[in-house]
Amino acid sequence: ERSLESLEKMAAPNAKVIRDGKQMTVPARDLVVGDLVVLDTGDYVPADLRLTEYNSLKVQEAALTGESVPVEKAEGVLKDDCALGDRVNMAFSSSLVTYGRGRGIVVETGMSTEVGKIAAMIQEAPETETPMQRRMNALGKTLGIVALSVCALMFLVGLLYGSDLLEMFMTAVSLAVAAIPEGLAAISTIVLAMGVQRMVKRNAIVRTLPSVETLGSATVICSDKTGTLTQNRMVVQEYAVFGMAASAPEAQMPSDSL
């Protein structure tokens, strides 16, 4: 759910459109297919647009493609199976205009956009059993079989020694209740929740608790780090005034493009 909220925050809150021959600013949620949107440097693209005009237009699409270099938009006929990063006559929702100006016609809005499809994939991700859950289920079955076996043995032994039937039955039941670990599921949930809290402190968003175990089980991660594992922005780390060097007050870790 936090991942979905983060994607929503990436969307542009307002959009500049031309309606009835006049340019106006409207909430991005009010855009409809066919609206003519105006893009300027520094604007977030409010929806998926088919560009009609562009003047040295460059758009940062790292959130969708992972490429740190802004894409320069141009005209041309594209192939049907053209990859997302090669659609140079399109501007996608949540991407940032880094240079130039342009106009485009809205072709997709909301969950139908490319970033909306990502949100839908996160929301509809199927639940699968993790190795920990499989081991917990196996352990629970093993403990249950052993506990029932021991209880049945105690019950039969008590009857052979002449104990009361009801008394031995109650003893076997109490033994079974004591042997089965009812708190096992609660303990595992608490441990995973603590792991989620530690990841949140490191700015990592996790939608489901078992994902913590999945990450802990990973030994090798293969990824193109450019624009994916970095912030994809340059930040001042140090500055010099009249020969005196000092660190920037709000310096952050630089990206790989620095």
Side-chain angles (χ1 to χ4, degrees):
E1 301 305 326
R2 291 182 180 269
S3 300
L4 297 177
E5 291 175 4
S6 299
L7 290 175
E8 290 177 357
K9 292 178 181 178
M10 292 174 61
N14 297 309
K16 291 177 289 187
V17 300
I18 296 178
R19 292 178 177 174
D20 298 327
K22 298 180 180 180
Q23 180 173 321
M24 62 185 71
T25 301
V26 299
R29 63 177 179 272
D30 293 339
L31 288 177
V32 296
V33 175
D35 271 336
L36 181 59
V37 177
V38 178
L39 300 176
D40 291 313
T41 302
D43 290 346
Y44 278 96
V45 181
D48 285 1
L49 310 176
R50 176 65 58 84
L51 298 173
T52 57
E53 297 181 22
Y54 29 83
N55 182 14
S56 301
L57 183 63
K58 294 183 179 181
V59 180
Q60 178 61 263
E61 299 176 349
L64 292 173
T65 63
E67 294 296 334
S68 61
V69 180
V71 178
E72 184 172 0
K73 298 302 178 178
E75 61 181 351
V77 179
L78 305 180
K79 298 179 180 179
D80 293 338
D81 57 349
C82 186
L84 185 66
D86 297 330
R87 300 175 188 175
V88 293
N89 59 357
M90 295 284 295
F92 300 103
S93 177
S94 79
S95 56
L96 175 66
V97 178
T98 59
Y99 190 81
R101 293 170 53 86
R103 294 184 180 183
I105 298 176
V106 176
V107 294
E108 298 289 354
T109 61
M111 295 297 287
S112 298
T113 62
E114 295 298 329
V115 71
K117 294 176 183 178
I118 297 176
M121 290 172 61
I122 296 175
Q123 195 172 22
E124 298 173 359
E127 295 184 1
T128 57
E129 284 191 346
T130 64
M132 178 181 177
Q133 290 174 326
R134 288 194 291 267
R135 289 195 297 267
M136 293 283 287
N137 292 336
L139 177 61
K141 292 179 181 179
T142 302
L143 290 178
I145 294 173
V146 172
L148 292 176
S149 300
V150 173
C151 292
L153 180 62
M154 290 290 296
F155 179 75
L156 294 176
V157 171
L159 292 181
L160 292 176
Y161 278 88
S163 299
D164 182 66
L165 177 64
L166 181 59
E167 180 181 356
M168 288 307 305
F169 177 76
M170 295 300 296
T171 301
V173 171
S174 61
L175 181 61
V177 172
I180 297 177
E182 298 89 349
L184 191 61
I187 293 174
S188 62
T189 302
I190 292 173
V191 171
L192 292 176
M194 292 175 63
V196 170
Q197 290 181 344
R198 294 184 62 183
M199 295 185 68
V200 169
K201 293 179 180 178
R202 296 175 178 267
N203 299 324
I205 298 176
V206 179
R207 184 168 184 259
T208 57
L209 290 180
S211 300
V212 179
E213 185 221 343
T214 304
L215 182 59
S217 302
T219 56
V220 177
I221 299 177
C222 301
S223 175
D224 177 10
K225 74 178 184 65
T226 304
T228 304
L229 300 180
T230 58
Q231 295 183 7
N232 194 32
R233 62 181 181 181
M234 295 187 289
V235 181
V236 175
Q237 297 295 307
E238 295 182 0
Y239 62 93
V241 180
F242 299 111
M244 300 294 293
S247 298
E250 297 180 354
Q252 302 179 19
M253 290 299 293
S255 70
D256 59 296
S257 59
L258 181 58

